[in-house]
Amino acid sequence: MFLPRVVLAAALATAFSAQAASDQPYPGTIVLNVDASDTAQNIFRVRQSIPAKPGKLTLLYPQWIPGNHGPSGALNQFAGLKVSANGQPLVWQRDPVNVYAFNVTVPKGARGVEVEFQYLSPVESNQGRTTMTNDILGVQWQSVTLYPAGYQSRQITVQPNLTVPPGWQYGSALEQQQRNGDVVAFKPLDLETLIDSPLFAGRYFRRIDLDPGAKIPVHLNLVADSAEQLEATPEQIAPHREMVQQAYKLFNSQHYQHYDFLLAISDEFGGIGREHHQSSENGVKLGYFADWSKHEARRELLSHEFTHSWNGKFRRPAGQNVPDFNTPLQNELLWVYEGQTQYWGAVLAARSGLIKAEHTRDLIAATAARYDNVKGREWRAVQDTVNDPIVNARRPQGWNNWQRAEDYYSEGQLIWLDADTKIRELSGETKSLNDFARSFFGVDDGVNVAKHYTFDDVVKSLNAVQPYDWKSFLRSRLDGNGPGAPLDGLARAGWKLVYTAKPTEFLKAQEDLSKSANFQYSLGFSVGAEGKLEALQWQGVGFKAGLSGGSVLVAVDGRAYKAELLRAAVTAAKGGKEPITLLIKKGNLYQTVALDYHDGLKYPRLERIAGTPDRLDAILQPLK
């Protein structure tokens, strides 16, 4: 139904005119009890005791989740709400516009309300990310918490309690107060810190000390589908420990009382990479340790999330300084928050030996090729992609190459490589982005209260390291429309992007692991499992022939599709005139498509530029 503009504005003003969040302590302590023992049905059962005065009380379910960069609160998995006071049920009403808000009236004589509800973890992948299995559970406190409106989240005290399945162990940055059997009581803390302190628990659990003997401990908390997946050799643990030390040498500071990596190794528990100030949630498929060499590229995840303790959690964009979890986040600086973290995550992985330096170069080549061929750059600058967590919320896209997604991550990485090499060039190799990291993220050592920044602060800090017109440097790369990706930093690093008829061994292994075949830079698409066409390039060869997503490649030149058969056909067509003939199935329609392409297979790799300094090698060298 259409509402006149004045009426609509009044409705919105009423809906969102909840009292401004007070910076005074909320009276009393909320007691939160979460029963996470029902792994058979994937149900978290929640009970809360919330102190409140008689009168109107608005309870909020968290909507804007830090680290997700958008309004991603799992309200669709929230169910069974009951509110009572003095043993009597109370009627609640959802706000008609702000559907994350629930209004109740606290009766006279009551000192608070009792709240019950369930968080229903998805049981199938099409329902969302699975957070509970028969062997692993993950508690994200924003999904199991209601809180009173009108107070800043850091001023609301909560005493959390968790029931885990019998005998399970857990990892978390939360500090345990006591444990009685399978019920764990944690020390009271503010709501903001609680929601920033998730927990992984498992039937199979192992804890590894990544900084033995340190005053500020760092632990790797492992859960997995089986005990065998937890087995790690000293040689595998060593680069994780070195990654911690390389981060300390880079940032020259620590902004946490202790740090806990939470790592789930599972084919059933939902994959994740999410930052927190004193911990991180990390989820990978089976084989992280068991198939160590096979899954090398996955190991960048931990260095990325660890970097976030400095970049994103301690130093946060000013637009992320919000009073509660229902105030919109401003994302304009995500190219720093995520883009520079993407850069340091790759660098730290190489410096520590988690990923070999030559394989890091291969990953940079893959990134450079992907973004150099993004056609959506013609209409959408990378700065605008910071809005994608709100616009698209990581839903699948039909034409990602044209629509663009959260490109501020990896294109941001290329921009910061550009900045690093520029500093090195201008300073005669005496300064680098390492110096920016120490001065910008390394301030106030030992402080774990967020320190916010603006675009001007970033420019000022860069100029303090190396005078230059950094404002124009950054804005031209953030707001420009190409052509191509910002690859000046790659050339300044002494390397160039080239394409060859064979992929590097490392990238070929990643392709095999993903069970796909990459023809993006030749035919303009990839072929996934069971012949499904994926990642079509806008205006690419396949696009111009009429191909689209939702299609299956059935045959190549009259023979049943196999990846090696299509590769052979592309190679045979090089320099010739005959088209490559594909049989395509889309829906219930079969059609023959002719691809007029004769330039052979193309796979990205980096090649040294003769006579130039190898700054990339210098960047990837461990700090002493």
Side-chain angles (χ1 to χ4, degrees):
M1 181 182 75
F2 173 76
L3 282 176
R5 184 173 299 176
V6 174
V7 176
L8 178 60
L12 288 171
T14 300
F16 291 101
S17 65
Q19 56 271 46
S22 170
D23 198 17
Q24 298 299 312
Y26 184 76
T29 297
I30 297 173
V31 177
L32 169 62
N33 296 289
V34 178
D35 185 344
S37 62
D38 188 358
T39 58
Q41 295 178 302
N42 295 28
I43 299 172
F44 294 81
R45 292 180 168 82
V46 182
R47 292 172 49 245
Q48 288 181 272
S49 297
I50 302 177
K53 297 178 181 179
K56 181 182 177 181
L57 173 67
T58 298
L59 297 175
L60 299 174
Y61 190 75
Q63 179 182 11
W64 289 80
I65 311 303
N68 283 23
H69 311 312
S72 60
L75 190 61
N76 60 317
Q77 287 146 10
F78 171 95
L81 178 61
K82 295 181 181 179
V83 185
S84 63
N86 293 334
Q88 299 300 312
L90 301 179
V91 175
W92 59 265
Q93 287 187 326
R94 191 193 301 262
D95 190 288
V97 176
N98 180 9
V99 295
Y100 286 78
F102 302 88
N103 299 312
V104 297
T105 299
V106 181
K108 292 182 179 180
R111 295 185 176 182
V113 296
E114 301 294 319
V115 175
E116 295 182 27
F117 64 91
Q118 301 84 43
Y119 171 69
L120 309 176
S121 174
V123 295
E124 296 182 8
S125 60
N126 61 4
Q127 299 168 359
R129 178 179 165 266
T130 298
T131 56
M132 182 182 283
T133 73
N134 289 328
D135 301 304
I136 301 173
L137 66 87
V139 179
Q140 297 178 320
W141 298 101
Q142 71 269 12
S143 298
V144 292
T145 300
L146 289 171
Y147 70 97
Y151 288 82
Q152 294 190 13
S153 55
R154 64 180 66 95
Q155 294 287 7
I156 299 173
T157 301
V158 183
Q159 194 276 300
N161 305 280
L162 178 68
T163 301
V164 297
W168 283 29
Q169 299 181 66
Y170 72 89
S172 176
L174 293 177
E175 296 183 5
Q176 180 177 302
Q177 187 165 272
Q178 64 178 4
R179 178 167 184 169
N180 294 318
D182 300 314
V183 180
V184 184
F186 297 101
K187 293 179 180 179
L189 71 169
D190 65 273
L191 178 65
E192 183 174 290
T193 304
L194 172 65
I195 288 182
D196 196 40
S197 305
L199 178 149
F200 281 7
R203 185 187 311 277
Y204 309 104
F205 179 89
R206 182 183 179 187
R207 196 177 208 204
I208 300 172
D209 190 345
L210 292 186
D211 197 4
K215 293 181 179 179
I216 300 177
V218 177
H219 289 107
L220 176 59
N221 301 274
L222 304 171
V223 291
D225 289 349
S226 67
E228 293 77 16
Q229 291 293 321
L230 302 179
E231 295 177 4
T233 67
E235 293 75 18
Q236 293 170 338
I237 295 171
H240 293 84
R241 287 177 170 162
E242 181 60 18
M243 181 261 291
V244 173
Q245 297 307 313
Q246 284 296 317
Y248 290 166
K249 291 174 182 178
L250 175 62
F251 298 117
N252 197 32
S253 62
Q254 294 161 297
H255 299 291
Y256 43 79
Q257 297 173 345
H258 48 82
Y259 190 91
D260 285 88
F261 289 98
L262 311 179
L263 176 60
I265 305 171
S266 173
D267 283 346
E268 298 180 17
F269 187 74
I272 190 172
R274 187 167 302 159
E275 66 274 10
H276 303 281
H277 203 144
Q278 299 192 114
S279 64
S280 58
E281 297 171 89
N282 307 276
V284 296
K285 295 295 185 181
L286 295 179
Y288 184 83
F289 292 116
D291 293 316
W292 181 250
S293 60
K294 187 176 180 180
H295 299 295
E296 184 178 353
R298 295 180 181 177
R299 298 200 284 271
E300 192 177 305
L301 173 62
L302 295 186
S303 54
H304 177 103
E305 300 305 337
F306 193 41
T307 296
H308 268 315
S309 184
W310 290 268
N311 182 13
K313 303 309 291 185
F314 171 60
R315 295 308 307 265
R316 302 182 195 180
Q320 304 277 311
N321 185 17
V322 294
D324 57 35
F325 297 102
N326 292 71
T327 300
L329 298 165
Q330 304 297 311
N331 288 341
E332 66 272 13
L333 293 174
L334 284 183
W335 52 272
V336 183
Y337 180 134
E338 293 290 2
Q340 194 170 145
T341 295
Q342 192 81 354
Y343 181 71
W344 289 128
V347 169
L348 288 175
R351 288 177 179 176
S352 64
L354 281 170
I355 300 179
K356 295 178 181 178
E358 58 267 32
H359 295 163
T360 297
R361 289 198 299 268
D362 287 346
L363 292 172
I364 293 172
T367 297
R370 177 180 176 184
Y371 289 95
D372 203 37
N373 287 277
V374 166
K375 294 293 289 183
R377 184 185 314 281
E378 295 177 6
W379 72 275
R380 190 180 186 192
V382 70
Q383 176 66 69
D384 187 64
T385 68
V386 302
N387 298 300
D388 215 67
I390 303 169
V391 173
N392 191 55
R394 298 187 176 177
R395 289 185 292 264
Q397 294 177 306
W399 296 99
N400 172 269
N401 183 261
W402 183 241
Q403 294 168 275
R404 307 201 73 173
E406 295 179 47
D407 292 357
Y408 53 85
Y409 276 87
S410 293
E411 189 162 322
Q413 177 186 1
L414 296 174
I415 290 172
W416 287 111
L417 173 63
D418 200 351
D420 195 349
T421 56
K422 191 67 176 177
I423 294 171
R424 291 169 186 263
E425 178 186 61
L426 292 172
S427 69
E429 316 303 328
T430 63
K431 297 289 182 66
S432 70
L433 202 64
N434 295 334
D435 298 284
F436 172 84
R438 293 189 187 98
S439 63
F440 194 73
F441 303 114
V443 296
D444 301 339
D445 183 27
V447 174
N448 63 356
V449 177
K451 187 178 182 69
H452 297 89
Y453 64 86
T454 64
F455 175 82
D456 289 341
D457 292 328
V458 175
V459 171
K460 181 179 178 181
S461 292
L462 284 168
N463 269 310
V465 173
Q466 176 60 53
Y468 187 64
D469 184 3
W470 291 108
K471 180 178 180 179
S472 297
F473 176 94
L474 292 170
R475 291 263 55 102
S476 64
R477 288 153 177 79
L478 294 166
D479 302 329
N481 297 102
L487 299 185
D488 289 351
L490 194 57
R492 205 179 294 114
W495 295 81
K496 62 182 177 180
L497 175 66
V498 299
Y499 296 89
T500 59
K502 291 184 178 181
T504 68
E505 290 185 9
F506 182 71
L507 292 181
K508 179 62 169 64
Q510 301 311 306
E511 184 178 310
D512 293 343
L513 192 61
S514 68
K515 298 181 180 179
S516 65
N518 183 1
F519 298 94
Q520 291 186 47
Y521 309 115
S522 51
L523 302 180
F525 56 79
S526 290
V527 186
E530 300 178 353
K532 184 178 179 181
L533 296 188
E534 300 172 338
L536 277 94
Q537 300 277 347
W538 190 265
Q539 294 298 335
V541 174
F543 178 96
K544 291 178 179 178
L547 296 179
S548 71
S551 302
V552 175
L553 175 54
V554 178
V556 179
D557 292 334
R559 299 174 63 187
Y561 166 74
K562 291 182 180 179
E564 58 268 27
L565 181 62
L566 183 53
R567 293 189 191 103
V570 174
T571 300
K574 185 176 181 179
K577 296 183 179 181
E578 294 298 317
I580 302 165
T581 303
L582 307 181
L583 178 62
I584 301 293
K585 180 180 184 293
K586 185 173 184 181
N588 60 3
L589 177 67
Y590 288 83
Q591 59 178 330
T592 299
V593 175
L595 300 182
D596 188 17
Y597 176 76
H598 306 284
D599 290 334
L601 294 168
K602 293 183 180 181
Y603 298 99
R605 65 173 67 211
L606 297 187
E607 184 177 281
R608 278 285 285 130
I609 302 174
T612 62
D614 189 351
R615 293 191 176 100
L616 184 55
D617 180 69
I619 289 168
L620 301 182
Q621 287 297 315
L623 297 179
K624 304 299 184 182

